[in-house]
Amino acid sequence: MDERKWVAVLSFLLSAMFSLGVYAISPGEIDPLVYDEQLLWVSGAQGEVNTYRIPLLTFTAKGNLLAFAEARKHSSSDVGAKFIAIRRSTDKGATWSPTSFIVDDGTHPDGLSLGSVVVDEEVGSVILIYSVCFHLYLCSPSSTMMVESLDDGLSWSKPRNLSEQLGSKNFAAGPGFGIQKRYNPAKGRLVVCGHGTIEGDGVFCILSDDHGRKWYNGAALKSIPYNQKKKPQDFNPDECQPVEMMDGSIVINVRNQNNYHCRCRVVVRSHDGGLSLPIDDLYFDYTLVDPAIAAGALQKDGVLYFTNPSNEQHRINLTLRWSLTNGTSWENKAVQIWAGPSGYSCMTSLDSGSAEDRKYIFVIYEKGHKDYDETVSFAKIHLYGGF
Ligand SMILES: *[C@@H]1O[C@H](CO)[C@@H](O)[C@H](O)[C@H]1NC(C)=O
Ligand SMILES: *[C@@H]1O[C@H](CO)[C@@H](O)[C@H](O)[C@H]1NC(C)=O
Ligand SMILES: *[C@@H]1O[C@H](CO)[C@@H](O)[C@H](O)[C@H]1NC(C)=O
């Protein structure tokens, strides 16, 4: 072949590689950069709402972004009346709709608690699981509730009471996202994990094999001593974020409420689609130091990501870490997203397979200057340093 033909063949191959995304940047080149950041909610700025907390973030099956938060009407307290607030983005987070409220608990003394958002990619629905009366403050019993959207978050069903199927128990989903299993075992199953009350605490998963019509109780990892008042350093697994790994197992990253064994995260794994969480697979991740808080986890293209305020004592220093070894080790080069007060966080990404969508993950987190509950911020992270 002459030189011109070589150039033609070479440029054809290169453009084919680019368009197929074969020229995927390798995980070893991950160098995350905060590419864009916007405040989605500012506490106290709007008449009806005192404090926005507990942010959730997800892409829908059609590629729209949905952000949710508790809109606490009268104070920053966990109890009290609330709305569930939503904002939508149809351009991958560049612009956002105004806030609307999709659930209103009226003047409830305890009110609603978020919650997990689950996207069912097989039917294109978005399901939000929350609880009412979780703290049993001037009310009883606690109920697990669900609302559903069939139009990418524009409109929502009336609340459904899942306690009729699950039994009455204190169950606070997430906070974070629930998963739909993409791989076997139990491909297609919806898995939502959360925790119980402080005395009867532990990690519990609820499951649905028919796109959210019927729910049943799955795995339980109970606290010790169960149903009894805890002391410092008791085993008390609490708020949690499940992620599906590429072998079909579910890894759950858990808040270690009473600092049992370490001031760090508890990790537990289910090999049967959320039916059980064997103690044999439980470990403490000493690298993931934690002030006992709800954290973010995400598996994208075989890389595991983790966000939390990386500090043993205080809710400050929101940090992004990543693991190329399914969480058995973490890269040394962690990225600080916010040095100051920071709280709960949740991550999402779009797994469309396109080269562009492989470059980004998105984080929503509580962020402030004096207190972590001043704002809810949305950060677009470029995984390859802007390249
Ligand atoms: C939900 O159903 C349970 C069981 O039937 C019931 O005890 C509870 O009061 C219901 N909660 C709400 C908010 O309707
Ligand atoms: C912030 O997190 C990083 C990574 O874990 C850690 O090295 C650093 O000491 C933390 N800083 C503070 C002030 O907690
Ligand atoms: C991570 O998990 C995947 C899927 O099970 C496996 O193929 C890979 O070898 C694992 N990586 C490491 C470093 O263990």
Side-chain angles (χ1 to χ4, degrees), residues 112-157:
L112 59 86
S113 307
L114 277 179
S116 288
V117 59
V118 204
V119 171
D120 188 317
E121 293 181 345
E122 294 178 6
V123 298
S125 61
V126 183
I127 289 172
L128 198 58
I129 307 283
Y130 62 99
S131 50
V132 290
C133 184
F134 177 69
H135 314 88
L136 301 175
Y137 176 70
L138 304 175
C139 57
S140 178
S142 175
S143 309
T144 305
M145 310 294 290
M146 160 178 160
V147 287
E148 183 177 25
S149 174
L150 303 175
D151 58 9
D152 262 34
L154 284 172
S155 68
W156 292 83
S157 70

Coordinates of all heavy atoms in Angstrom, one line a residue, residues 112-157:
L112 N -42.9 13.1 56.7 CA -42.3 12.2 55.8 C -40.8 12.2 56.0 O -40.2 13.2 56.4 CB -42.8 12.4 54.4 CG -42.5 13.8 53.8 CD1 -41.1 13.9 53.2 CD2 -43.6 14.1 52.7
S113 N -40.2 11.1 55.6 CA -38.7 11.0 55.5 C -38.3 10.4 54.2 O -38.7 9.3 53.9 CB -38.2 10.1 56.7 OG -38.7 10.6 57.9
L114 N -37.4 11.0 53.5 CA -36.8 10.4 52.3 C -35.7 9.5 52.7 O -35.0 9.8 53.7 CB -36.2 11.5 51.4 CG -37.2 12.2 50.5 CD1 -36.5 13.3 49.6 CD2 -37.9 11.2 49.5
G115 N -35.4 8.5 52.0 CA -36.1 8.0 50.9 C -35.1 7.4 49.9 O -33.9 7.7 49.9
S116 N -35.7 6.6 49.0 CA -34.9 6.0 47.9 C -35.6 6.2 46.6 O -36.9 6.1 46.5 CB -34.7 4.5 48.1 OG -33.8 4.2 49.1
V117 N -34.9 6.6 45.6 CA -35.5 6.7 44.2 C -35.0 5.5 43.4 O -33.8 5.2 43.5 CB -35.1 8.0 43.6 CG1 -33.6 8.3 43.4 CG2 -35.8 8.2 42.2
V118 N -35.9 4.8 42.8 CA -35.5 3.6 41.9 C -36.0 3.9 40.5 O -37.2 4.2 40.4 CB -36.2 2.3 42.4 CG1 -35.4 1.1 42.0 CG2 -36.5 2.3 43.9
V119 N -35.2 3.6 39.6 CA -35.6 3.7 38.2 C -35.8 2.3 37.6 O -34.8 1.5 37.7 CB -34.6 4.5 37.3 CG1 -34.9 4.4 35.9 CG2 -34.5 6.0 37.8
D120 N -37.0 2.0 37.1 CA -37.2 0.7 36.5 C -37.0 0.9 35.0 O -37.8 1.5 34.3 CB -38.6 0.2 36.8 CG -38.9 -1.2 36.3 OD1 -38.4 -1.5 35.2 OD2 -39.5 -2.0 37.0
E121 N -35.8 0.4 34.5 CA -35.5 0.7 33.1 C -36.3 -0.2 32.2 O -36.5 0.1 31.0 CB -34.0 0.5 32.9 CG -33.2 1.5 33.6 CD -31.7 1.4 33.4 OE1 -31.2 0.3 33.0 OE2 -31.0 2.4 33.7
E122 N -36.8 -1.3 32.7 CA -37.6 -2.2 31.8 C -39.0 -1.6 31.5 O -39.5 -1.8 30.4 CB -37.8 -3.6 32.5 CG -36.4 -4.3 32.6 CD -36.5 -5.6 33.3 OE1 -37.6 -6.1 33.7 OE2 -35.4 -6.2 33.6
V123 N -39.6 -0.9 32.4 CA -40.9 -0.2 32.1 C -40.8 1.3 32.0 O -41.8 1.9 31.7 CB -42.0 -0.7 33.1 CG1 -42.2 -2.2 33.0 CG2 -41.7 -0.2 34.5
G124 N -39.7 1.8 32.3 CA -39.5 3.3 32.2 C -40.1 4.1 33.3 O -40.3 5.3 33.2
S125 N -40.4 3.5 34.5 CA -41.0 4.2 35.6 C -39.9 4.7 36.6 O -38.8 4.3 36.6 CB -42.0 3.3 36.3 OG -41.3 2.2 36.9
V126 N -40.3 5.7 37.4 CA -39.5 6.2 38.5 C -40.3 6.0 39.7 O -41.5 6.4 39.8 CB -39.1 7.7 38.3 CG1 -38.2 8.1 39.4 CG2 -38.5 7.9 37.0
I127 N -39.7 5.3 40.7 CA -40.4 5.0 42.0 C -39.7 5.7 43.1 O -38.5 5.7 43.2 CB -40.5 3.5 42.2 CG1 -41.5 2.9 41.2 CG2 -40.9 3.2 43.6 CD1 -41.4 1.4 41.2
L128 N -40.5 6.4 44.0 CA -39.9 7.0 45.2 C -40.5 6.3 46.4 O -41.7 6.2 46.6 CB -40.2 8.5 45.1 CG -39.4 9.5 46.0 CD1 -38.0 9.4 45.6 CD2 -40.0 10.9 45.7
I129 N -39.6 5.8 47.3 CA -40.0 5.2 48.5 C -39.6 6.1 49.7 O -38.5 6.6 49.7 CB -39.3 3.8 48.7 CG1 -39.4 2.9 47.5 CG2 -39.7 3.1 50.0 CD1 -40.7 2.2 47.4
Y130 N -40.6 6.4 50.5 CA -40.3 7.2 51.7 C -41.1 6.7 52.8 O -41.9 5.7 52.7 CB -40.7 8.7 51.4 CG -42.1 9.0 51.1 CD1 -43.0 9.5 52.0 CD2 -42.6 8.7 49.8 CE1 -44.3 9.7 51.8 CE2 -44.0 9.0 49.5 CZ -44.8 9.4 50.5 OH -46.1 9.7 50.2
S131 N -41.0 7.3 54.0 CA -41.8 6.8 55.1 C -42.5 8.0 55.8 O -42.1 9.1 55.6 CB -40.9 6.1 56.2 OG -39.8 6.8 56.5
V132 N -43.5 7.7 56.5 CA -44.2 8.7 57.3 C -44.2 8.2 58.8 O -44.3 7.0 59.0 CB -45.6 9.1 56.9 CG1 -45.6 9.8 55.6 CG2 -46.5 7.9 56.8
C133 N -44.0 9.2 59.7 CA -44.0 8.8 61.1 C -42.8 7.9 61.5 O -42.9 7.1 62.4 CB -45.4 8.2 61.5 SG -45.6 7.9 63.2
F134 N -41.7 8.1 60.8 CA -40.6 7.2 61.1 C -40.1 7.3 62.5 O -39.7 6.3 63.1 CB -39.4 7.5 60.1 CG -38.2 6.7 60.4 CD1 -38.2 5.3 60.1 CD2 -37.0 7.2 61.0 CE1 -37.1 4.5 60.4 CE2 -35.9 6.4 61.2 CZ -36.0 5.1 60.9
H135 N -40.1 8.5 63.1 CA -39.6 8.7 64.4 C -40.6 8.4 65.5 O -40.3 8.6 66.7 CB -39.0 10.1 64.6 CG -38.1 10.5 63.4 ND1 -38.6 11.1 62.3 CD2 -36.8 10.3 63.2 CE1 -37.7 11.3 61.4 NE2 -36.5 10.8 61.9
L136 N -41.8 8.0 65.1 CA -42.9 7.8 66.1 C -43.1 9.0 67.0 O -43.5 8.9 68.2 CB -42.7 6.5 66.9 CG -42.5 5.2 66.1 CD1 -42.2 4.0 67.0 CD2 -43.8 4.9 65.3
Y137 N -42.9 10.2 66.4 CA -43.1 11.4 67.2 C -44.5 11.9 67.2 O -45.0 12.3 66.1 CB -42.1 12.5 66.7 CG -42.3 13.8 67.4 CD1 -41.9 14.0 68.8 CD2 -42.9 14.9 66.8 CE1 -42.1 15.2 69.4 CE2 -43.1 16.1 67.4 CZ -42.7 16.3 68.8 OH -42.8 17.4 69.4
L138 N -45.3 11.7 68.3 CA -46.7 12.0 68.4 C -47.5 11.3 67.3 O -48.5 11.9 66.8 CB -46.9 13.5 68.3 CG -46.1 14.4 69.3 CD1 -46.3 15.9 69.1 CD2 -46.6 14.0 70.7
C139 N -47.1 10.1 66.9 CA -47.9 9.4 65.9 C -47.5 7.9 66.0 O -46.5 7.6 66.6 CB -47.6 9.9 64.5 SG -45.8 9.9 64.1
S140 N -48.3 7.0 65.4 CA -48.0 5.6 65.3 C -49.0 5.0 64.4 O -50.2 5.4 64.4 CB -48.1 5.0 66.7 OG -47.9 3.6 66.7
P141 N -48.7 4.0 63.6 CA -47.4 3.4 63.4 C -46.7 4.1 62.4 O -47.2 5.1 61.8 CB -47.8 2.0 62.9 CG -49.0 2.2 62.1 CD -49.8 3.3 62.8
S142 N -45.4 3.7 62.1 CA -44.7 4.2 61.0 C -45.1 3.4 59.7 O -45.4 2.2 59.8 CB -43.2 3.9 61.3 OG -42.4 4.3 60.2
S143 N -45.2 4.1 58.6 CA -45.6 3.5 57.3 C -44.6 3.7 56.2 O -43.9 4.8 56.2 CB -46.9 4.1 56.9 OG -47.9 4.0 57.9
T144 N -44.4 2.7 55.4 CA -43.6 2.8 54.2 C -44.5 3.2 53.0 O -45.4 2.5 52.8 CB -42.9 1.5 54.0 OG1 -42.1 1.1 55.1 CG2 -41.9 1.6 52.8
M145 N -44.1 4.2 52.3 CA -45.0 4.8 51.3 C -44.2 4.8 49.9 O -43.0 4.8 49.9 CB -45.4 6.2 51.6 CG -46.0 6.4 53.0 SD -47.5 5.5 53.3 CE -48.6 6.5 52.3
M146 N -45.0 4.8 48.9 CA -44.5 4.9 47.5 C -45.3 5.8 46.6 O -46.5 5.8 46.7 CB -44.5 3.4 47.0 CG -44.4 3.3 45.4 SD -44.4 1.6 44.9 CE -44.9 1.9 43.2
V147 N -44.6 6.6 45.8 CA -45.2 7.3 44.7 C -44.5 6.9 43.4 O -43.3 6.5 43.5 CB -45.2 8.8 44.9 CG1 -46.2 9.2 45.9 CG2 -43.9 9.4 45.2
E148 N -45.1 7.0 42.3 CA -44.6 6.5 41.0 C -44.8 7.5 39.9 O -45.9 8.1 39.9 CB -45.2 5.2 40.7 CG -44.6 4.5 39.4 CD -45.3 3.1 39.2 OE1 -46.4 2.9 39.7 OE2 -44.6 2.3 38.5
S149 N -43.9 7.7 39.0 CA -44.1 8.5 37.9 C -43.8 7.7 36.6 O -42.9 7.0 36.5 CB -43.1 9.7 37.9 OG -43.2 10.4 36.7
L150 N -44.8 7.8 35.6 CA -44.6 7.1 34.4 C -44.3 8.1 33.2 O -44.2 7.7 32.1 CB -46.0 6.4 34.1 CG -46.4 5.4 35.1 CD1 -47.8 4.8 34.8 CD2 -45.4 4.3 35.3
D151 N -44.0 9.3 33.6 CA -43.6 10.3 32.6 C -42.4 11.1 32.9 O -42.3 12.3 32.8 CB -44.8 11.3 32.3 CG -45.3 12.0 33.5 OD1 -44.6 11.9 34.6 OD2 -46.3 12.7 33.5
D152 N -41.4 10.3 33.4 CA -40.1 10.9 33.7 C -40.1 12.0 34.8 O -39.3 13.0 34.7 CB -39.4 11.4 32.4 CG -38.4 10.4 31.9 OD1 -38.7 9.2 32.0 OD2 -37.4 10.8 31.3
G153 N -41.0 11.9 35.7 CA -41.0 12.8 36.9 C -41.9 14.0 36.7 O -41.9 14.9 37.6
L154 N -42.6 14.1 35.6 CA -43.5 15.3 35.4 C -44.7 15.2 36.3 O -45.1 16.2 37.0 CB -43.9 15.4 34.0 CG -42.9 16.0 33.0 CD1 -43.3 15.8 31.6 CD2 -42.5 17.4 33.3
S155 N -45.3 14.0 36.4 CA -46.5 13.8 37.2 C -46.3 12.6 38.1 O -45.6 11.7 37.7 CB -47.8 13.7 36.4 OG -47.8 12.5 35.6
W156 N -47.0 12.6 39.2 CA -46.7 11.5 40.2 C -48.1 10.9 40.7 O -49.1 11.6 40.8 CB -45.9 12.0 41.4 CG -44.5 12.4 41.0 CD1 -44.1 13.5 40.4 CD2 -43.4 11.5 41.0 NE1 -42.8 13.5 40.1 CE2 -42.3 12.2 40.5 CE3 -43.2 10.2 41.5 CZ2 -41.0 11.7 40.4 CZ3 -41.9 9.7 41.5 CH2 -40.8 10.4 40.9
S157 N -48.0 9.6 41.0 CA -49.2 8.9 41.4 C -49.6 9.4 42.8 O -48.8 10.1 43.5 CB -49.0 7.4 41.5 OG -48.0 7.2 42.5

